[in-house]
Amino acid sequence: MIDKLEFLLALAREKHFGRAADACGVTQPTLSAGVKQMEETFGVLLVNRGSRFQSFTAEGERVLDWARRIVGDTRAMRQEVHALKHGLAGRLRLAAIPTALAMVETLTTPFRARHPEVQFTILSRTSIEILTQLDNLEIDAGLTYLDNEPLGRVTAIPLYTERYRLLVATDAPLGDRTSVTWAEVAKVPLCLLTPDMQNRRIIEQLLRDTGADPHITLESDSMILLYSHVRTGRWASVMPARLASTLGLMDSKMLRAIPIVEPEATHTIGLVAPAREPMTPLTAALVMEARRVAPLLSD
Amino acid sequence: MIDKLEFLLALAREKHFGRAADACGVTQPTLSAGVKQMEETFGVLLVNRGSRFQSFTAEGERVLDWARRIVGDTRAMRQEVHALKHGLAGRLRLAAIPTALAMVETLTTPFRARHPEVQFTILSRTSIEILTQLDNLEIDAGLTYLDNEPLGRVTAIPLYTERYRLLVATDAPLGDRTSVTWAEVAKVPLCLLTPDMQNRRIIEQLLRDTGADPHITLESDSMILLYSHVRTGRWASVMPARLASTLGLMDSKMLRAIPIVEPEATHTIGLVAPAREPMTPLTAALVMEARRVAPLLSD
DNA sequence: CCGGTTTAATAGGTTTTTTCTATCATACGA
DNA sequence: TCGTATGATAGAAAAAACCTATTAAACCGG
């Protein structure tokens, strides 16, 4: 039964019988049969199919909701029993927005010191992807904006506030300033994250609020790529202060991270975990670590 | 997997492999194998066995907790999907303390008018049994005291307050009074519920508070039996006012239900359902009915 | 201390269920 | 219209679940 519910979850995220079957480590006929069997026991169609996967029926969506809960609880149970016997162990699957990637370390380092048997998988994802994957049990927790877009059913622990800096080569325009305004930033060629990133949307909004038409001449989903382009002196970028200092840019002679004012915008970044009671032991431990670390990060 | 969890739940309430197997509709070796298999997949012993069932291990108790939740959610899922397709149907399993049995009708009658496909099973149980069976998913809801002993993790909907009456034959001692005190009640031969019933403990406490040593010369777990003994005129009993009126005693010339004062004690009786979110559709509907009915029952 | 009883584990065999491979039917796109 | 992608179906093989019968161990009353 629980295996069948996992089939349904896989189908929900892959929207494709074959790929869902792969994800579950079974063949496509096995998954098809599993779904069909659930439909027979419930006496209700769960999936609208034409010649391919189309969508879930209303009943299917409800079952999906329950499946998320039941599968999640089952995993939590396994993990908890294992932790009782062998201590906290296993793999924590995290996802973070690109601008938060550099600070994940402030969470993972003390966590690992406390629980050496725990392994991590950390992915760079958009804020929307983080929330979806959280819902679908694909990750255990995420690091994303808490105050900008609706979060859904999650537990949120604020970690720090993002303040924005103009990242620019020392010898480039504006490179010698101690502070700049958003209006000034809008006039220089910028490289930013791609528009599917919330950070990009935030910054673009701030730029447009000045009435200007910003020149975003390069975009990427990688902060490293942006960073390397700024080093050429031909682009500037905007990034959170904490990210800039973590990267050690403050020490560099070539690059500067200049506070951007008017307005001095801030956004809260924090840990989000599924709002389940009780949480899996690993997630609970991570949340506890986040609460411990948060005061050390506040400005 | 879920079947195995059901095995564990059955074992928890039967404390006996053979009886648990019977309850699950399988043979004893099947249940034994199921439990052993769980122990192997978890890598942990769940049950302490000597030559017979002894107890659950710490890990076993945790798994049991999860099992209650997961099995409950699975049933709720089935029920919900069925309700989506065919409307609210199925069997609602209730338990009520004996003194509340006569008023269950005020809940079931309007409920059945609204949902004709729903069937009921209603058992007479002690307040403690009700809470245990609620935990073990053996019943969907119960009717019991809300204000006297600790309830645990339940949703409680107050329905009415119990006030006490001396049930006595018209020609017996005290039979002609318009009100009596607890001290007077303590002096006549009484028949009451057995001491495992909370109602008995409440009344005995009230009697002892007067300093007297009450004569409880007959006890039973059946209100009907008590009632038939009072009719002989050789015993009196104490019962809630609402029960007395529901039984139509007020109309009878032979029996009277006389208010007991000093003090005029009251206890709240209500519906209790597992504090699960979301509830099964049947339980949710019953809770809604209880909320609807409650104002009509208040004095 | 000794047979009888209760209780759960084990062995062996049967049935049921699950899963796989291979193939087919259908729709979609170029 | 033909090639491709997708999911259903059929049939066989493998795995599992389950049952009956039996055994081993503890408990109990005399």
Side-chain angles (χ1 to χ4, degrees):
Chain A
M1 179 82 208
I2 288 179
D3 301 332
K4 314 285 170 62
L5 293 177
E6 302 237 27
F7 288 177
L8 226 56
L9 290 186
L11 189 55
R13 59 171 182 271
E14 303 290 351
K15 304 187 195 316
H16 185 291
F17 280 73
R19 281 197 296 277
D22 271 356
C24 295
V26 297
T27 58
Q28 170 263 317
T30 300
L31 188 132
S32 285
V35 173
K36 169 176 268 188
Q37 190 186 321
M38 296 201 78
E39 291 180 325
E40 276 163 9
T41 59
F42 284 136
V44 178
L45 277 185
L46 299 176
V47 178
N48 294 315
R49 324 141 151 91
S51 71
R52 62 192 60 215
F53 176 89
Q54 290 177 334
S55 62
F56 286 91
T57 63
E59 290 87 352
E61 293 286 355
R62 295 302 305 125
V63 172
L64 212 48
D65 243 32
W66 283 106
R68 281 189 255 273
R69 167 189 284 244
I70 293 168
V71 169
D73 282 348
T74 307
R75 291 189 194 164
M77 172 176 68
R78 282 192 227 280
Q79 209 177 89
E80 183 176 319
V81 173
H82 192 273
L84 273 177
K85 178 89 174 185
H86 308 97
L88 216 54
R91 180 167 298 275
L92 252 177
R93 299 158 304 161
L94 307 182
I97 55 175
T99 51
L101 279 173
M103 69 77 52
V104 174
E105 149 308 292
T106 60
L107 213 48
T108 49
T109 307
F111 186 96
R112 221 183 118 65
R114 216 180 295 274
H115 310 291
E117 296 303 317
V118 177
Q119 302 179 297
F120 289 96
T121 297
I122 303 158
L123 305 171
S124 171
R125 289 291 130 95
T126 71
S127 52
I128 292 173
E129 286 169 343
I130 288 175
L131 296 178
T132 321
Q133 298 203 331
L134 224 44
D135 274 348
N136 291 335
L137 306 176
E138 289 168 77
I139 55 175
D140 301 302
L143 280 151
T144 184
Y145 292 99
L146 299 186
D147 56 359
N148 215 32
E149 289 175 3
L151 284 176
R153 278 185 49 79
V154 297
T155 311
I157 297 98
L159 283 175
Y160 66 96
T161 55
E162 214 178 58
R163 288 164 208 285
Y164 299 101
R165 296 275 189 276
L166 178 69
L167 186 69
V168 65
T170 315
D171 52 1
L174 299 177
D176 56 342
R177 305 281 289 278
T178 57
S179 83
V180 297
T181 66
W182 285 102
E184 289 170 320
V185 171
K187 295 202 185 90
V188 298
L190 289 175
C191 54
L192 293 178
L193 288 174
T194 46
D196 54 340
M197 305 289 180
Q198 199 173 348
N199 175 268
R200 162 70 175 271
R201 295 196 296 276
I202 290 170
I203 291 171
E204 210 164 344
Q205 189 58 50
L206 284 163
L207 290 168
R208 243 191 242 101
D209 285 346
T210 68
D213 183 27
H215 315 299
I216 296 157
T217 56
L218 191 151
E219 60 189 26
S220 166
D221 61 352
S222 157
M223 292 302 297
I224 293 287
L225 186 129
L226 299 183
Y227 171 67
S228 65
H229 278 78
V230 172
R231 283 172 57 97
T232 67
R234 311 297 295 267
W235 281 275
S237 187
V238 176
M239 67 167 61
R242 189 169 301 275
L243 175 56
S245 61
T246 305
L247 286 175
L249 301 182
M250 301 317 220
D251 309 330
S252 152
K253 288 273 192 284
M254 290 182 56
L255 293 183
R256 295 193 56 221
I258 305 168
I260 309 177
V261 295
E262 296 174 33
E264 195 164 352
T266 65
H267 283 285
T268 307
I269 302 243
L271 185 76
V272 289
R276 318 165 81 275
E277 193 54 43
M279 295 181 186
T280 72
L282 282 178
T283 309
L286 186 69
V287 164
M288 193 173 300
E289 195 64 55
R291 289 195 214 281
R292 226 183 322 249
V293 164
L296 312 176
L297 295 176
S298 62
D299 303 325
Chain B
M1 178 84 209
I2 289 178
D3 301 332
K4 314 286 170 60
L5 292 177
E6 303 236 27
F7 287 178
L8 225 55
L9 290 186
L11 189 54
R13 59 171 182 271
E14 303 289 350
K15 302 186 196 317
H16 185 291
F17 280 73
R19 281 196 296 276
D22 271 356
C24 295
V26 296
T27 58
Q28 170 264 317
T30 300
L31 187 132
S32 285
V35 173
K36 170 176 266 189
Q37 190 186 321
M38 295 201 79
E39 290 180 324
E40 277 163 9
T41 59
F42 284 136
V44 179
L45 277 185
L46 299 177
V47 178
N48 294 315
R49 328 139 148 91
S51 70
R52 62 192 60 214
F53 176 89
Q54 290 177 333
S55 62
F56 285 91
T57 63
E59 291 87 352
E61 293 285 355
R62 295 302 304 126
V63 172
L64 213 47
D65 244 32
W66 283 107
R68 282 188 254 272
R69 169 190 283 242
I70 293 168
V71 169
D73 282 348
T74 306
R75 291 188 193 163
M77 172 176 68
R78 282 192 227 279
Q79 207 178 89
E80 184 175 318
V81 173
H82 192 273
L84 272 177
K85 179 88 175 186
H86 307 97
L88 215 53
R91 180 168 299 274
L92 209 33
R93 299 158 305 162
L94 307 183
I97 55 176
T99 50
L101 279 173
M103 67 78 51
V104 174
E105 159 291 304
T106 61
L107 213 48
T108 50
T109 307
F111 186 96
R112 220 182 119 66
R114 217 180 295 274
H115 310 292
E117 296 303 316
V118 177
Q119 302 178 298
F120 289 95
T121 297
I122 302 159
L123 305 172
S124 172
R125 290 291 129 94
T126 71
S127 53
I128 292 175
E129 286 170 343
I130 287 175
L131 295 178
T132 321
Q133 298 204 333
L134 224 44
D135 274 346
N136 290 336
L137 306 176
E138 290 167 77
I139 55 174
D140 301 302
L143 279 150
T144 184
Y145 291 99
L146 300 186
D147 57 1
N148 215 33
E149 289 175 4
L151 284 175
R153 279 184 49 78
V154 298
T155 311
I157 297 98
L159 283 175
Y160 67 96
T161 55
E162 214 177 57
R163 288 165 208 286
Y164 299 99
R165 296 274 189 279
L166 178 69
L167 187 68
V168 65
T170 315
D171 52 0
L174 299 177
D176 55 342
R177 304 281 291 276
T178 57
S179 83
V180 297
T181 66
W182 285 102
E184 290 169 319
V185 171
K187 295 200 186 92
V188 298
L190 288 175
C191 54
L192 292 178
L193 288 174
T194 47
D196 54 340
M197 306 288 180
Q198 199 172 346
N199 175 266
R200 162 70 175 271
R201 296 196 296 276
I202 289 171
I203 290 170
E204 212 165 342
Q205 189 59 49
L206 284 162
L207 291 169
R208 247 194 238 98
D209 285 347
T210 67
D213 183 28
H215 315 298
I216 296 158
T217 55
L218 191 151
E219 61 190 25
S220 165
D221 61 351
S222 157
M223 292 301 298
I224 293 289
L225 185 130
L226 299 185
Y227 171 67
S228 64
H229 278 78
V230 172
R231 283 171 58 97
T232 68
R234 310 299 293 267
W235 281 274
S237 186
V238 176
M239 66 165 61
R242 189 169 302 275
L243 176 55
S245 61
T246 304
L247 287 175
L249 301 183
M250 302 316 217
D251 308 331
S252 153
K253 289 270 191 287
M254 289 182 55
L255 294 183
R256 294 193 57 220
I258 305 168
I260 310 177
V261 296
E262 295 175 33
E264 194 163 354
T266 64
H267 283 286
T268 307
I269 300 240
L271 186 75
V272 290
R276 317 164 81 272
E277 193 55 43
M279 295 181 185
T280 72
L282 281 179
T283 309
L286 185 69
V287 165
M288 191 172 302
E289 194 66 54
R291 290 195 213 281
R292 224 181 324 246
V293 164
L296 312 177
L297 296 176
S298 63
D299 306 323

